[in-house]
Every structure is written in structure tokens, then in C-alpha cells.
Amino acid sequence: MIVYAEVEFIIQTAHSLKEKRAVLQRMITRTKQKFNVSIAEIDHQNVWQRTKLALVAVSSSKEAAEREINHALHYLQSNPSWEQLNVWRDYL
């Protein structure tokens, strides 16, 4: 089972692309290390206060893949540097 999620954040503390990328790369790296998911920025690369991330988890069961995505999303939401705008999920 494959679970795909897109999550969009606004980064109020970023005042340049450099500041945005510092926050973003730290969170992407830590998420990859902590959880069994693939994660990448898929939109708003040249906008300094907004980002959209895609997360994918693959597992033999829907529940296990969804659990990994939920844990990763919860971790991303816990970052005080940004605010979540919306989340979209799909199951393949």
C-alpha cells in the first residue's frame, strides 16, 4: 500500500529564501532520519514564506503506511517556525 500526502506551510519567520531553506532543509533531513517516508518540496521553491511538501510511505498494509505518514505529519506540524495551511492525502 502506498500513502501519499501533500502538506502546505507558511513560514512567518523567513525573510529570505536562504532563511526559508534553512528551516526547510533541517525539517526534511530530520523527517527522513526519524520516519520511514520519502519527503521533498514540490511547490513554491522561489517563494520565501511558503512551501508545499510531498510525503510518501510504502508498506505491506494500509495501516502501517498511514501510521508512518501520520507520525511524520505530526512531527512537521510541531515545528514552531511554520504554520500548516492544508493537508491532502491519497491512497494507491
Side-chain angles (χ1 to χ4, degrees):
M1 175 57 71
I2 300 170
V3 179
Y4 173 78
E6 290 181 3
V7 60
E8 199 166 355
F9 292 100
I10 188 160
I11 308 168
Q12 300 286 351
T13 59
H15 300 294
S16 68
L17 283 174
K18 186 176 181 179
E19 289 178 6
K20 172 196 170 182
R21 289 187 179 124
V23 170
L24 189 58
Q25 289 306 314
R26 181 174 59 247
M27 290 305 292
I28 286 174
T29 301
R30 288 181 183 170
T31 302
K32 286 179 183 177
Q33 292 171 346
K34 289 179 171 273
F35 307 102
N36 189 19
V37 297
S38 293
I39 181 172
E41 184 178 26
I42 60 168
D43 201 2
H44 309 300
Q45 286 92 343
N46 293 321
V47 179
W48 48 273
Q49 283 194 324
R50 198 165 173 189
T51 188
K52 183 184 271 190
L53 302 174
L55 292 90
V56 177
V58 178
S59 180
S60 59
S61 71
K62 178 180 177 182
E63 293 79 19
E66 194 168 309
R67 186 172 43 250
E68 280 300 308
I69 289 289
N70 287 338
H71 288 306
L73 288 172
H74 181 68
Y75 176 72
L76 290 169
Q77 293 163 355
S78 71
N79 185 354
S81 299
W82 57 24
E83 178 183 335
Q84 179 182 309
L85 298 177
N86 51 35
V87 175
W88 179 82
R89 293 175 195 235
D90 196 9
Y91 302 92
L92 307 171

